[in-house]
Amino acid sequence: MDTLKELYKIGCGPSSSHTMGPQRATKRFIEKNPDAESYRCTLYGSLAATGKGHLTDYIIEKTIEPKKVEIIWREDINPEFHPNGMKLEALDKDGNPFDEWTVYSVGGGSLAEEGKRNQPDGKVYYEHNKLDDIIKYCKENNKNFVEYVLDREDDDFLEYMEKIADTMKAAIDKGIESREILPGKLLLKRRASRFYKKYLATKDYTTLDYAFALAASEENASGGTIVTAPTCGAAGVLPGVFFSLMVHNGYTKQHVIEGLIVAGLIGNLIKTNASISGAEVGCQGEVGSACSMASAGAAYLFGGTLEQIEYAAEIGLEHHLGMTCDPVYGYVQIPCIERNAMAAERAIAAAKYALNTEGSHTISFDQVTITMKETGIDLMDKYRETAKGGLAKWFEC
């Protein structure tokens, strides 16, 4: 498995796979070919199907400016390796290509070439890729999950995680204060500030959890700065859970960082053994994964054992199996924003449920992760971030 820095990324919304990934790929390509007269970019599959709503063409054009780029939309071609494929070409003064690169945006802003995933620098940070094996190792070496991660990450990892926590908090703060309509033809009103006012009046924890999750998700939908956790489309779940616990239950920033570390370990396992890409496995891979991550992190903060934390993670993912990715107009707004709030509350419920048991259960986290991948592969194309089915079918793109 790769470093958690590759899971938690800071960037602008609304989509890690459709904006952050293509932007990273474009930057890399133009750095390799700075002398090109112009460029051409062909978008395939889901990148083409919902690229307009996700601002894929906009971010590519802004990255290449002041030079020109021709965008070609080929949603009729669905690459076998991954639905989010793109081909970049460098053109000479006569419009002839002299270099090209086919790359895939595989979720969370990560890039992959065909046959190569999750190893951007070639370094293996984690020798284990199953949670059962990690639990066994931790027991044999008297470690908890936080200590296990810190033993494997670089020396600046805690400093990086502090930036991650600060960025999440900043997104919440900005989202709570914002009142403007979200961009796009849905003309969707923000709700975070109203939910926060209700919390101040009632001091009801669930309302605060909703408010913070909505705030971060609405910031993402407006193109604000957020953290992929594990994706932009699921960027509200972890902030909703951990910072509501901080405000309402008195947890410190250090607690939040430790919760994020445990959550990141779970997200990394899902990313490695299944997928966090809505275009590949549906929203179960985005919001479902985020719920699983937050469930584990909350269970850790609540004092859960290794087995109870594993159970919480399993519950969080199991009960999102089969969730489709069907964004209306291709925007990361409906049903995405509300799903983040619901998943944040479900994560707390999963953690509490797990801690009411001794931790033993029938289906393991590793098993449900593989099941999620298989379920995603079986989902029809129209339910995997193409805006061709589900809730999206009621609106014309």
Side-chain angles (χ1 to χ4, degrees), residues 248-264:
H248 191 270
N249 292 48
Y251 286 98
T252 66
K253 183 178 179 180
Q254 181 60 36
H255 288 132
V256 169
I257 290 174
E258 290 182 5
L260 289 171
I261 289 172
V262 174

Side-chain angles (χ1 to χ4, degrees), residues 6 9 11 14 39 93 122 135 143 173 181 249 258 290 309 316 319:
E6 187 64 19
K9 302 186 191 71
Y39 301 88
K93 60 183 178 60
I135 290 174
K143 301 277 187 179
D173 292 343
I181 301 295
N249 292 48
E258 290 182 5
I309 294 168
H319 297 290

Side-chain angles (χ1 to χ4, degrees), residues 12 52 86 98 125 128 148 156 188 204 307 320:
C12 295
K52 286 287 185 182
M86 59 187 294
F98 62 86
Y125 284 78
H128 306 105
Y148 173 83
D156 64 346
L188 203 63
D204 173 63
E307 289 84 0
H320 283 88

Side-chain angles (χ1 to χ4, degrees), residues 244-392:
S244 61
L245 288 174
M246 185 178 185
V247 170
H248 191 270
N249 292 48
Y251 286 98
T252 66
K253 183 178 179 180
Q254 181 60 36
H255 288 132
V256 169
I257 290 174
E258 290 182 5
L260 289 171
I261 289 172
V262 174
L265 178 62
I266 297 301
N268 224 9
L269 287 163
I270 297 173
K271 180 179 177 181
T272 300
N273 295 299
S275 175
I276 58 171
S277 168
E280 189 171 25
V281 295
C283 197
Q284 57 176 355
E286 296 200 43
V287 168
S289 295
C291 183
S292 180
M293 294 165 64
S295 300
Y300 170 84
L301 292 181
F302 294 163
T305 64
L306 296 173
E307 289 84 0
Q308 288 170 328
I309 294 168
E310 186 267 351
Y311 192 11
E314 187 276 333
I315 293 170
L317 188 57
E318 177 187 337
H319 297 290
H320 283 88
L321 287 178
M323 179 176 278
T324 60
C325 183
D326 47 357
V328 173
Y329 292 135
Y331 300 150
V332 190
Q333 297 181 15
I334 296 177
C336 319
I337 295 172
E338 197 170 87
R339 280 183 180 172
N340 275 256
M342 295 298 104
E345 178 57 19
R346 180 173 283 186
I348 294 296
K352 289 181 176 178
Y353 185 98
L355 263 70
N356 274 302
T357 75
E358 73 283 1
S360 64
H361 55 109
T362 304
I363 300 295
S364 73
F365 168 81
D366 292 326
Q367 290 171 329
V368 80
T369 299
I370 296 303
T371 301
M372 187 268 279
K373 181 179 181 180
E374 293 171 348
T375 304
I377 291 171
D378 289 341
L379 283 176
M380 295 175 66
D381 177 71
K382 64 182 180 180
Y383 298 124
R384 288 188 278 117
E385 207 169 1
T386 60
K388 295 176 181 178
L391 298 175

